[in-house]
Amino acid sequence: MGATGTLKAVLFDRDGTLVVDVPYNGEPQLVQPMEGALEALQKVRRAGLATGVVSNQSGIARGLLSLDQVMAVNHRVEQLLGMFEVWKICPHGPEDGCDCRKPAPGMILDACSALGIEPSEAAYIGDIGSDMEAAGAAGALAVLVPTHVTRPEEIEAAGIVADDLGHAVDILLSMASETRATEDAPV
């Protein structure tokens, strides 16, 4: 894992990673989990790891969505996929220059702070390059799960690429277990 060697949380991008991406979705009834998302989350939770969602929501800044609509969609995500310990959204547009909008690390840093962990104790799973950049800038482990919108250069640049969400979780849990075995080995 990171400098501390222990994975304590897995953070997820929302659209295109946990749920099917419906651009600027403000309608909870349109929320549809990605295939295998519930099972992947159940594995993470059974392993005793915290879960969180970190999501750019520029539709708010663009006047296409209200914060209430985003919150209603997030609530629907939890109804379908279970509760998350932390949610962080960026309501800003790309031109706003905030430090929370991915690829900036702000939301991941805030999520880790809210969970009481170091970024090196977290992993972030997303579907595009800005997700990987944000995780890297924060000091968290990054796993890319490509979709039809992921550009080839984003896949090439990613350190860890998984076939799907379940595979991403398996990779992280395997790495965490190897790290624990190494730490527990007699010297």
Side-chain angles (χ1 to χ4, degrees):
M1 300 292 88
T4 63
T6 305
L7 182 65
K8 294 184 179 175
V10 181
L11 306 173
F12 299 86
D13 173 50
R14 190 187 82 178
D15 303 317
T17 301
L18 287 176
V19 299
V20 174
D21 187 13
V22 175
Y24 308 113
N25 182 22
E27 304 296 330
Q29 68 271 19
L30 298 179
V31 174
Q32 179 185 345
M34 294 293 278
E35 187 174 330
L38 180 59
E39 295 81 4
L41 283 161
Q42 288 170 334
K43 279 186 187 179
V44 172
R45 292 172 178 137
R46 275 196 306 270
L49 303 174
T51 58
V53 181
V54 173
S55 180
N56 286 347
Q57 292 297 319
S58 68
I60 296 170
R62 298 170 198 259
L64 302 171
L65 292 169
S66 70
L67 180 58
D68 287 344
Q69 286 175 304
V70 170
M71 300 309 277
V73 167
N74 291 348
H75 178 69
R76 181 64 180 150
V77 170
E78 285 195 323
Q79 287 177 327
L80 295 170
L81 297 176
M83 299 294 287
F84 293 88
E85 281 81 2
V86 66
W87 282 85
K88 295 294 174 181
I89 65 158
C90 171
H92 306 109
E95 63 289 333
D96 291 340
C98 65
D99 60 4
C100 52
R101 181 177 172 77
K102 297 176 291 181
M107 286 189 290
I108 293 175
L109 295 172
D110 287 350
C112 290
S113 178
L115 292 169
I117 64 172
E118 293 298 318
S120 62
E121 298 171 313
Y124 185 59
I125 300 174
D127 66 324
I128 59 174
S130 66
D131 295 328
M132 302 302 96
E133 292 172 41
L141 186 62
V143 180
L144 181 70
V145 178
T147 65
H148 67 282
V149 301
T150 313
R151 298 189 319 262
E153 60 269 21
E154 293 172 326
I155 296 169
E156 194 173 300
I160 303 173
V161 180
D163 299 331
D164 55 34
L165 200 51
H167 183 223
V169 165
D170 289 345
I171 289 169
L172 291 172
L173 294 179
S174 172
M175 289 173 73
S177 132
E178 288 171 18
T179 300
R180 274 193 298 278
T182 301
E183 290 173 349
D184 294 343
V187 179

